[in-house]
Amino acid sequence: VNPGTSFHRSQLQSLSALLDLVPDPFHSSTPQLLNFLTGNFMKMSPRFGGAGQALSEVASGLLPSLMYLADILPKESIVWKMKMLRTASSFVNSRLHAVKAQTLVVASGNDELLPSRDEAERLRGTLKKCRVRHFRDNGHKILLEDGFDLVTTIKGAGDYRRSRQTDYVLDFLPLSDDELEKAIDRDRLLTFATDPVMLSTLPDGKIVRGLAGLPRAGPVLLVGYHMLMGFELGPLVTGVLRSTGIHIRGLAHPFMFNESSDQLIPDSSNYDLHRIMGAVPVTAVNFYKLLSEKQFVLLYPGGAREALHRKGEEYRLFWPEQSEFVRMASRFGATIIPFGVVGEDDICDMLLDYNDLMKLPFYDILDKKLNEEGLKLRTDSTGEIKNQDMHPVVLTPKMPGRFYFIFGEPIETKGREKELRDKEKAQHLYLHVKSEVESCIKYLKEKREEDPYRSILPRLLYQAAHGSDAEIPTFEP
């Protein structure tokens, strides 16, 4: 955590060389040394208002503290501590090449003492099994700062495991209350701007507002449409968890777990939420394990091709031609819930899609970097679904509309395992699920036209009149 291996390139190296020249008791008045010794970095504003404190008042207020520090921290002790740090730094740097253990480096962006961000990148290139997590807004004493949890960081980096090999299903630890609140806070602005409407379908086919139609016991497989950039994921997972206590485990693109992708994220600590929330790489083995534990599993057959679609492809499903999940679901008697979501076109317009980016000079270099080490999905597929490469899109915001979710009528597979072993019958059910998802999307696109609170302005007026916690009405299901 903000390792001292960068001591020779830090402010402390320069200060330690001059420390012998500083008379007592002024050695303790240097802000960098105060931070180094006590953890409290003294920041004084260079400007004082006309009615503010005078510099003499500030100095007189600090004098007792400085004299106290001089008494308990004699210069000889500080010189000794600096020499110890210098020696230890040299010792460790000379042996970094021999470190073969898995390593996690936590680096603060606002470290006032050490160049921790640059040092983390140096260590990433030196240590063989090193991952880095940057925390842009934290300081040198990050372990003492509010809002930072080392356990959460270890979980998010994928470094917690129960055995020799990482198992994203068995190694998962339930969310703490703080982790759930952070997940909700991260999407708070999006949730406020879009005020998601959630509908579900009862077994008798009646559509109701809320999640009464969702089963309360697994295994359950939720199969649906992946909105642009996965905008729906945060409101979907946290919304269901808060309303019902059901924790949805998502099957995610392997890119989200690729160590090389960490280097492409400026603030990598914000990249770990999917792991903390329980997402796993989409593989048949992980799918099997989740269903065997009777989990609620989230699956997007369209994957990255839907989430990173091109212009004019909103709400178009890019599913494989052949069934992928039906027989696995029937093996465990899982209930399949088709669902649809609309609203991406209510919050942004696409400025540049993949086709546009490929026309830009040198973009092909970035495209290769993004996908060179990624696991290729569905290489045996044909057509559009075969293209599962990751790439950015450029969006322009618009006046926020509203998100709408609908969970379709539950489809039971319990007792149908023998029947659905037949490829033809499994394919028939697969196409039925796809049709149900398309019907859900069509229903929402039509019904949202009846919502008087689809735009954010009417919703703000409603909350101003009824209170910020009031549930905003929508169309009648």
Side-chain angles (χ1 to χ4, degrees), residues 361-380:
F362 309 113
Y363 173 75
D364 57 326
I365 299 175
L366 176 60
D367 187 66
K368 182 179 179 180
K369 181 66 175 176
L370 283 169
N371 297 286
E372 63 183 353
E373 296 184 19
L375 175 66
K376 299 295 183 182
L377 300 178
R378 296 172 173 145
T379 54
D380 56 345

Side-chain angles (χ1 to χ4, degrees), residues 139 158 191 271 284 312 341 366 385 427 432:
T191 302
Y271 182 66
V341 52
L366 176 60
I385 193 61
Q427 181 70 9
H432 173 64

Side-chain angles (χ1 to χ4, degrees), residues 218-271:
V220 172
L221 178 61
L222 296 102
V223 185
Y225 167 74
H226 212 355
M227 190 183 284
L228 178 66
M229 298 293 290
F231 284 134
E232 82 286 354
L233 276 171
L236 170 62
V237 175
T238 58
V240 171
L241 183 56
R242 292 178 71 183
S243 299
T244 66
I246 295 171
H247 190 168
I248 297 173
R249 303 287 302 276
L251 293 167
H253 195 284
F255 175 86
M256 307 297 288
F257 302 84
N258 190 349
E259 293 185 17
S260 63
S261 62
D262 294 349
Q263 304 177 42
L264 304 173
I265 309 298
D267 200 3
S268 52
S269 62
N270 289 329
Y271 182 66

Side-chain angles (χ1 to χ4, degrees), residues 202 300 309 368 421:
L202 301 178
Y300 293 106
H309 60 247
K368 182 179 179 180
R421 285 177 184 169

Side-chain angles (χ1 to χ4, degrees), residues 32 86 178 189 215 228 266 281 327 389 397 406 408 432 435 440 448 460 464:
Q32 288 84 351
R86 184 188 300 109
D178 286 342
L189 181 60
L228 178 66
R327 282 186 288 178
D389 285 348
I406 183 170
H432 173 64
S435 175
C440 287
R448 70 176 175 177
L460 290 175

